[in-house]
Each structure stands twice: as C-alpha cells, then as structure tokens.
Amino acid sequence: MNYSFQFNVVWRNFDALLEGAWLTLQLGVFAFSAGCLIGLVGAACLSFAPRPVRWLVMGFVVFITNTPALIQIYFLYFGLPEFGIRWSNEACVLIGLTLNAGAYLTMILRAGFLSVRSTEMEAGETMGMSLPQRIRYIVVPHIAKSIYPALANFFIVILVMGTSVGAVIGVDELTGQAINLSTVNYRWLEYFTIVALMYVVLTFIASIGLALLGRWAFRVKARIF
Amino acid sequence: MPHLAVNDIHAKYGKLEVLHGIDFDVDRGEVVSLVGPSGSGKSTVLRALVGLTPVTSGSIEVDGTRIDYSAPRAVRAARDRMAIVFQQYNLFQNMNVLRNVTLAPTKVKGRNRKEVEAEGMELLKLVGMDHKAKAFPDELSGGQQQRVAIARALALRPEILLLDEVTSALDPELVNEVLDAIRRLASEGMTMLIVSHEMSFVREVSSKVVFMDNGQVVEAGDPSAIFDGPKSDRARDFFGKVLRG
Ligand SMILES: Nc1ncnc2c1ncn2[C@@H]1O[C@H](COP(=O)(O)OP(=O)(O)OP(=O)(O)O)[C@@H](O)[C@H]1O
Ligand SMILES: [Mg+2]
C-alpha cells in the first residue's frame, strides 16, 4: 500500500469534528429520551388500552419498524413540504429518529410490561394506586431493571447508526461533518479513520454513563463491557 | 350492625363459578376466621371484598352501606377501609422494605413523608422487621416478607384487615410474634378476617369460625363449637384430618 496518511489535515479541522460529535450525542440522547416516553405510552396502551387504541399503536409500530429510517426522514424532509409543512433538516432528523426510536421502544418496553408480576400490580391496586401510579412505581422500575441491557444497546444503535442518517440531508453531525470536510481536500481515509475512532470513544463514554446510571438509579448490576 | 356483612355472594373465574352464595358477618373489633379445604374459595372471598374478583350477585356491606363495585369511586372508598395481605406476599420487588411500607400512604393518601416513615418504622418494629428496613424483598426469607406485607397493610390505617394465610410461611416462634401482633390489633379495635390452615392459631385468636367447602359456607359459629362439635359431616371430616395432623 503506497498511501501516505496525512493526519495533520484532520487535526487542523478537529474542532469541526468535535462539534459534529457533540451534535451526534445531542441527537442520540434526545431521540432516545423522547423515544422512551413514546415507547412507554405505546407499551402502556398495548397492555391496558381498549382494542381500537391498541390497533392504532400496533399500526404505528408496524409501519415504522418495517420501513427504513432513511425513507422516513426523506419523507419528512422532501415529502412534507408538498403539504406546506417545512422543517429544518435538523428538525427532520430529530423527529424522524424520535418516532423511529418510539416504535422500537414500544416493542422493547412491552416485553417489560408483560414480565411484571401481576400480583404486584394487584397489590398496588388494592392499596389504592391508580393505573398511572402503578406504571410509575411498579412497572417502570421493573422494566428499568429487567431490560436495562436491551435499552442500553438500543441507545448505542441510535447513537451510531440512527444519527448518521442525518448526513444524507445535510445535517452536520459527526458523519456529515466528516463528509463535508473530506470533500474539500479528498483526505477521506484520514477523516474516516479518525471519525471511526471518535464513534468508538463516544459509545465508550455512553456505555460507562449508562452503566453508572443503571447502578445508581435502578440497582442494575450492569457490566460496562 | 355488623362492621362487614357478606350476603349471598357468588363469584366466577371466567365461566367457572367458584363461590355459590357466601354469607357471614364480622362485627366491629371481631376476628373471624375462614377455614376449609384447599380450593374451597377462601382467597376468592377476600379478593371479592377488595374488588379484585368481581361479584356476580349478592352484596357486601361495610357499616351497613352496600359497596357498589361497578363504581370506581366506591371501590376506592372500600379499599381505603379494607387492607389485604395476600397468601403470596406480593411485595414490590424493586423497592426496599421501608419504601414498600410508605409508598401508598405518601403517594395515594398524600401524607407527609417524614411522618409516614417514622410510623412505618414503628410498624416494622411491631412485626420485628425494623432491622431490615433498607433490605430488598429478594434478600428476605418468606416469613420476613410476609411480616413486611403485614406492616405495609397496617400503614394504610385500615379499619378492616384481611389476612390470607399469613402464618403459613413462618417459623413457630414467628407465628407467635405475628399472633401477638394480631391480638394487639384486635384489642385496639381492628376488625379482622383471617384465612388460615393453622387451627390452633384460629382457635386462639378468633371469636367466630366460618367453615367453607366447595364455594359454600357449611357451618359457622364460635371456635369451640365448630372444632369440638362440628354438626356437618364435611366439617367433622375436615377437622378430623387437620386436627389430628
Ligand atoms: N385465577 C384463577 N383462575 C381460575 N380459577 C381460579 C383462579 N384462582 C382460583 N381459582 C379456582 O377457584 C377455586 C377457589 O380458589 P381459592 O384460591 O379461593 O381457594 P382457597 O380456599 O383459597 O384455597 P387454598 O387454601 O389452596 O389457598 C379453586 O377451585 C381454584 O381452582
Ligand atoms: Mg387461598
């Protein structure tokens, strides 16, 4: 191989990459958190709501999980303006990722709802707790503990694979930023080597953060690796 | 007027009717025991009282007022006055012992947290579990969990306490502790309905015994009458077996 790496080009623009990484992290954290809320409502509906509501939620989940995230975001960015709705590229990625995460998390969290001991829910009921209170105090801690690893994995998926979809509609997250910069001086290999490492560092930090959060908040004895 | 009156209640699981008309009264401050073979419907009676298993006909009255189990508000009011301790101690697995006890008083009744915690520690002391206040249910033995469940029910300040087989998982010495606690509660005017297989416990603590078989009340009366001179064959048969064993 005769290629000579010239990393100093990358270092000169490292600030821009850091900004991209920061945006990636923000997109990932926001889409995941908002997706968790949607997923919680969706899973609660699938478990407790009347049939028409369950069908509606199921329809949403089936539609979203069976179409590519890229298409969904294209639809928001290029399709909605036809109907007079115009969002910025960042908003489209954010909303698209959030809906996407919400659909997947509905199914992930539903497994958690199903595994709550019905006897605990009955005990809560006889103690006068309302359904939202039972969800808040019995189901959520149970889910957080029992499927915490699945949730943490899903966060990494969004952080790495989900957010990079933004690049195709010009959002300057980490991948987008790398494409922008390397188009200027053709140092693709250098940029993408560094960016790959930055993703690794990002997921590393996120994993540690999640493991610590799990231990502190939910008594999850999660291993970091 | 009885504190709790159960009038000819029927109840079903799905299509299967398991209570075929149950009648009995519990006076204020009285301890009544439900006894009978496994599967006779004792737990179902308690579940019906707190609105977990729907009653298909008949009525349940507290202080002479019929509870309308189809009205959520009335069910809430009934649950406010009756607390149940389940056969399988249904503690919240994701909370420590003290939090199990304080959750409903703080979140449902909106009482002051500090005050509830202090009272919770007193209740845990009453059942001999104050030293485990910070432990989680999966770190406790069955008997210990059962005692926490009793403390949790008492923290709701019920007028009527429903206890389903609370001594079955306990060591003999712990049975005495719980017995003491129950006696103390009775002397303080707590109305109690107890399901138990422990006949010596039943005889000692209750003022009335209701013998059930196959979803019906076969015989009811004061403990000595029921235990020493059962009138029905089924009761004689049952007590013959359990008292000998
Ligand atoms: N969830 C359920 N679904 C269907 N049938 C049930 C259910 N729970 C109880 N049963 C049936 O209802 C009848 C009464 O049950 P119940 O639990 O009230 O009996 P029990 O007197 O409390 O018995 P044990 O002494 O074993 O606790 C039994 O025939 C039982 O099989
Ligand atoms: Mg039972």
Side-chain angles (χ1 to χ4, degrees):
Chain A
M1 198 169 92
N2 295 321
Y3 192 85
S4 73
F5 282 91
Q6 296 191 11
F7 282 110
N8 49 355
V9 184
V10 180
W11 301 134
R12 241 179 280 136
N13 295 306
F14 196 61
D15 283 356
L17 288 182
L18 278 180
E19 273 169 37
W22 175 232
L23 184 58
T24 290
L25 190 64
Q26 285 175 298
L27 285 172
V29 168
F30 184 90
F32 181 74
S33 315
C36 276
L37 286 181
I38 295 177
L40 197 60
V41 172
C45 286
L46 289 180
S47 308
F48 303 113
R51 195 164 286 163
V53 178
R54 292 206 305 263
W55 284 340
L56 218 64
V57 173
M58 230 25 231
F60 164 74
V61 169
V62 168
F63 179 75
I64 297 277
T65 56
N66 289 299
T67 50
L70 185 59
I71 303 287
Q72 292 154 19
I73 287 165
Y74 260 53
F75 177 80
L76 293 177
Y77 191 60
F78 296 113
L80 285 187
E82 301 292 331
F83 303 95
I85 302 169
R86 211 170 285 279
W87 287 328
S88 73
N89 51 1
E90 271 149 20
C92 285
V93 168
L94 199 55
I95 292 167
L97 280 182
T98 300
L99 290 177
N100 205 271
Y104 279 99
L105 285 163
T106 295
M107 295 320 278
I108 297 178
L109 295 180
R110 183 161 91 133
F113 269 72
L114 291 175
S115 67
V116 177
R117 301 190 316 163
S118 61
T119 53
E120 277 183 54
M121 291 295 272
E122 281 188 344
E125 191 183 343
T126 62
M127 293 165 80
M129 290 163 69
S130 64
L131 183 58
Q133 282 178 325
R134 276 177 275 151
I135 291 177
R136 161 84 177 74
Y137 295 109
I138 301 172
V139 180
V140 170
H142 170 82
I143 290 182
K145 195 174 174 202
S146 63
I147 58 174
Y148 196 81
L151 287 176
N153 282 341
F154 188 68
F155 174 66
I156 301 296
V157 170
I158 296 185
L159 187 65
V160 176
M161 315 225 292
T163 56
S164 62
V165 170
V168 300
I169 57 168
V171 174
D172 298 333
E173 42 67 62
L174 189 48
T175 302
Q177 206 62 295
I179 293 173
N180 293 344
L181 293 170
S182 48
T183 318
V184 175
N185 49 36
Y186 306 104
R187 285 288 157 192
W188 300 92
L189 208 47
E190 285 85 346
Y191 274 112
F192 282 93
T193 308
I194 298 300
V195 163
L197 289 174
M198 288 174 79
Y199 271 114
V200 171
V201 171
L202 210 55
T203 53
F204 181 74
I205 293 170
S207 304
I208 292 179
L210 283 168
L212 292 178
L213 179 71
R215 277 186 203 191
W216 170 75
F218 308 116
R219 280 206 318 150
V220 182
K221 297 186 187 77
R223 290 203 327 241
I224 292 168
F225 298 106
Chain B
M1 180 175 29
H3 199 176
L4 173 69
V6 173
N7 306 317
D8 192 30
I9 61 169
H10 293 244
K12 286 181 190 170
Y13 286 110
K15 285 205 171 70
L16 179 74
E17 184 174 277
V18 296
L19 298 183
H20 317 291
I22 300 289
D23 277 288
F24 64 86
D25 289 347
V26 186
D27 285 332
R28 191 170 282 278
E30 192 185 22
V31 178
V32 171
S33 294
L34 290 179
V35 301
S38 178
S40 56
K42 306 179 297 291
S43 296
T44 307
V45 171
L46 300 194
R47 291 175 60 86
L49 287 170
V50 293
L52 284 179
T53 300
V55 171
T56 49
S57 74
S59 71
I60 294 167
E61 290 169 16
V62 175
D63 270 338
T65 309
R66 181 183 175 149
I67 300 167
D68 175 7
Y69 285 96
S70 63
R73 175 191 285 267
V75 175
R76 234 176 293 131
R79 287 173 177 162
D80 212 34
R81 306 176 74 171
M82 291 186 270
I84 184 168
V85 178
F86 292 90
Q87 192 164 2
Q88 339 79 320
Y89 21 87
N90 299 337
L91 296 182
F92 304 130
Q93 296 296 309
N94 292 295
M95 296 167 208
N96 70 27
V97 162
L98 184 60
R99 180 102 168 122
N100 259 280
V101 173
T102 59
L103 183 70
T106 50
K107 302 301 172 191
V108 177
K109 309 218 163 154
R111 291 174 51 202
N112 175 279
R113 186 178 175 133
K114 284 267 169 307
E115 179 195 317
V116 172
E117 278 180 359
E119 190 181 305
M121 286 307 293
E122 285 302 309
L123 290 170
L124 287 172
K125 195 180 284 175
L126 181 79
V127 294
M129 287 301 296
D130 49 325
H131 63 298
K132 291 283 190 186
K134 291 278 176 279
F136 281 78
D138 59 10
E139 299 162 351
L140 303 179
S141 73
Q144 291 176 322
Q145 291 191 49
Q146 194 60 284
R147 284 184 284 156
V148 173
I150 294 174
R152 184 175 72 173
L154 290 174
L156 295 164
R157 296 178 166 173
E159 291 170 31
I160 303 174
L161 190 59
L162 313 174
L163 304 173
D164 196 350
E165 301 279 9
V166 288
T167 57
S168 57
L170 304 184
D171 302 336
E173 54 200 294
L174 299 180
V175 169
N176 283 330
E177 271 178 38
V178 174
L179 212 106
D180 277 345
I182 292 175
R183 257 195 235 105
R184 206 172 319 159
L185 290 167
S187 71
E188 285 164 12
M190 176 75 74
T191 307
M192 277 180 278
L193 181 58
I194 298 175
V195 172
S196 182
H197 279 302
E198 292 225 22
M199 294 308 150
S200 57
F201 171 75
V202 167
R203 186 194 279 262
E204 171 157 16
V205 81
S206 41
S207 50
K208 184 158 84 188
V209 176
V210 176
F211 173 69
M212 286 179 60
D213 190 18
N214 195 15
Q216 282 170 322
V217 175
V218 178
E219 232 181 295
D222 64 76
S224 54
I226 291 260
F227 286 123
D228 302 331
K231 292 192 221 27
S232 62
D233 289 344
R234 274 189 285 178
R236 204 171 303 126
D237 198 41
F238 176 75
F239 292 125
K241 280 191 194 116
V242 291
L243 293 178
R244 225 182 303 125

